[in-house]
């Protein structure tokens, strides 16, 4: 799997799969709340919810919906659909506070631009720098990744999932930080 995550093991002797089975498994923790968008404002899974998922807030006037993420290999559940409804860089945001100083953090998101190649991006902003990654193709899921390093006195980090232009629609799933 091209998206398998490996880390250097504690003994410093080899790479190990993050979710490897057995007693040597290395767990991974997601600092984002509700990064798979299963907790919504709807009453029946995707329901008719048009509110941002729990833990996230709307950026500007983005239209919010939920869909079945056909074509994403990480599992079943919901995908968040954001559609810019008034301008560029609309979507959802989650703010992370109290991060460890001088530490590199990686944001990964699976996204399917519904119709426009380059129509979706992730953005990490900490007040002093911004890191972005933009989709390359439309109609299929791809992984976007951005790395940010906190300062000696870390500021809050804004994690944004955005459309790059008005009316662009993006299906988001499996967002980790």
């Amino acid at each position: 799997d091209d998206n398998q995550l490996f880390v250097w093991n504690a003994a410093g002797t080899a790479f190990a799969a993050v979710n490897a089975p057995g007693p040597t498994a290395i767990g991974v923790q997601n600092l984002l709340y509700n990064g798979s968008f299963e907790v919504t404002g709807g009453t029946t899974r995707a329901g008719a919810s048009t509110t941002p998922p729990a833990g996230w807030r709307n950026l500007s006037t983005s239209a919010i919906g939920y869909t079945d993420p056909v074509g994403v290999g990480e599992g079943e559940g919901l995908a968040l659909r954001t559609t810019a409804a008034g301008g560029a860089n609309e979507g959802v945001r989650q703010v992370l506070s109290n991060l460890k100083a001088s530490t590199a953090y990686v944001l990964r998101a699976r996204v399917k631009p519904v119709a426009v190649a380059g129509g979706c991006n992730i953005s990490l902003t900490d007040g002093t720098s911004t890191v972005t990654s933009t989709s390359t193709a439309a109609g299929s899921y791809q992984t976007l990744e951005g790395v940010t390093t906190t300062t000696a006195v870390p500021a809050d980090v804004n994690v944004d999932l955005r459309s790059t232009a008005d009316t662009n629609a993006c299906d988001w799933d499996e967002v980790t930080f």
Side-chain angles (χ1 to χ4, degrees), residues 11-46:
T13 57
F15 281 99
V18 168
N19 291 322
T24 60
I26 299 169
V28 67
Q29 179 179 3
N30 190 359
L31 298 179
L32 290 170
Y33 175 70
N34 198 20
S36 62
F37 312 113
E38 300 302 312
V39 183
T40 74
T43 55
T44 57
R45 283 185 46 91

Side-chain angles (χ1 to χ4, degrees), residues 51-64:
T51 60
W56 297 85
R57 70 174 183 83
N58 200 324
L59 285 174
S60 194
T61 59
S62 180
I64 303 294

Side-chain angles (χ1 to χ4, degrees), residues 142-168:
Q142 58 203 270
T143 300
L144 301 184
E145 182 176 284
V147 179
T148 189
T149 301
T150 55
T151 58
V153 179
D156 291 351
V157 173
N158 293 327
V159 175
D160 296 346
L161 312 178
R162 311 183 305 190
S163 299
T164 58
D166 191 21
T167 72
N168 285 358

